[in-house]
Amino acid sequence: MAKVAREMVERTGINVDELVELLISNASAELTTFYYYTILRVNLIGLEGEGIKEIAETARIEDRNHFEALVPRIYELGGKIPGNMNAFHDISACPPASLPENATDVKAILKVLVEAERCAVRGYTHICNLTAGKDHRTYDLALAILNEEVEHESWFSEFLGEGPSGHFMRRGETSPFVSKFLR
Amino acid sequence: MRVFTLQDLSRYNGRDGNLAYVAYRGLVYDVSGSYFFRGGRHWVRHNAGSDLSDEIDQAPHDESLLQRFPVVGSLTMVE
Ligand code: HEM
């Protein structure tokens, strides 16, 4: 634990145990989503599916990056992640997704994706609200993740026909916002 | 429609096999079926079995999400 770092956050009035629990449950949501994107990627086939495969792969890698960026902050603040994967999975902040019954139904797959991203956008907005002007490091991290989650939401929303996202696919790079936490 | 006091409501805390009910602006909703209220807790801080009307301001969503769940009664402030 980073003793003084935790103390600085406590002194702002933030309930650090509560904050750590939020970070852990969101880290779990990231890793379960990473798993889901992995099964999705193999099922995104055919003319329709191939068009989405690349962007799903970017979101997959970025969600894994979010998990990896969150873990050090959890430990700095004195928290820890569960000792086994089952327990970790069961505390996910957002419902762990599953492949639609008809795995070739690209629209159904996209709906699951956009729901997961929307849950994440709400969750990181909440963490930003809790930490703004108080816990600068957690805020910086949550904001970086939020920036990427908003882009994921807009990509999938565009594919669902909800309107243009105003974004282009990443060009070779991933996690333009979160990468500074991964060095 | 059943009328709940705060004490009646507190039994529906979603823990130890109890159903999870929450009150919002005078109505009681059964949120037992929600992943987001499992174990009677919602985003660490909000507990089933209580009146959450004053807590929605902290939420990154509005109250319309409650409409997904059945109303099972109303809340009275009379003990
Ligand atoms: C710190 C405050 C809160 C946070 C961070 C929070 C966060 C969330 C999030 C992220 C979702 C998922 C939405 C989605 O899937 O896009 C959600 C759903 C929901 N929240 Fe909250 N919430 C808070 C407070 C409240 C309060 C006070 C109430 C009740 C008055 C409430 C009732 C609900 C309901 C009914 C749902 C839908 C559940 C479902 O569909 O299974 N929330 N909340």
Side-chain angles (χ1 to χ4, degrees), chain B residues 9-36:
Chain B
L9 182 64
S10 68
R11 273 180 234 129
Y12 297 91
N13 58 13
R15 292 196 295 266
D16 308 319
N18 291 318
L19 293 168
Y21 290 179
V22 298
Y24 181 75
R25 298 215 174 148
L27 292 178
V28 177
Y29 296 83
D30 180 356
V31 295
S32 309
S34 171
Y35 177 87
F36 292 99

Side-chain angles (χ1 to χ4, degrees), chain A residues 44-72:
Chain A
L44 284 170
I45 50 174
L47 273 182
E48 241 191 325
E50 282 295 336
I52 298 162
K53 204 179 227 171
E54 203 59 45
I55 215 146
E57 173 62 1
T58 302
R60 183 179 89 98
I61 298 303
E62 293 190 356
D63 281 357
R64 188 206 61 199
N65 289 347
H66 300 169
F67 163 72
E68 289 188 348
L70 282 163
V71 171

Side-chain angles (χ1 to χ4, degrees), chain B residues 1-72:
Chain B
M1 201 158 61
R2 179 169 170 197
V3 178
F4 290 81
T5 63
L6 279 172
Q7 203 187 352
D8 296 332
L9 182 64
S10 68
R11 273 180 234 129
Y12 297 91
N13 58 13
R15 292 196 295 266
D16 308 319
N18 291 318
L19 293 168
Y21 290 179
V22 298
Y24 181 75
R25 298 215 174 148
L27 292 178
V28 177
Y29 296 83
D30 180 356
V31 295
S32 309
S34 171
Y35 177 87
F36 292 99
F37 282 87
R38 64 205 189 287
R41 279 170 91 220
H42 182 57
W43 281 74
V44 180
R45 147 176 325 186
H46 309 282
N47 294 311
S50 56
D51 182 3
L52 298 182
S53 308
D54 293 337
E55 297 177 26
I56 200 83
D57 293 349
Q58 302 163 28
H61 59 70
D62 63 20
E63 68 274 10
S64 63
L65 295 184
L66 280 163
Q67 285 161 15
R68 299 174 182 170
F69 300 93
V71 173
V72 289

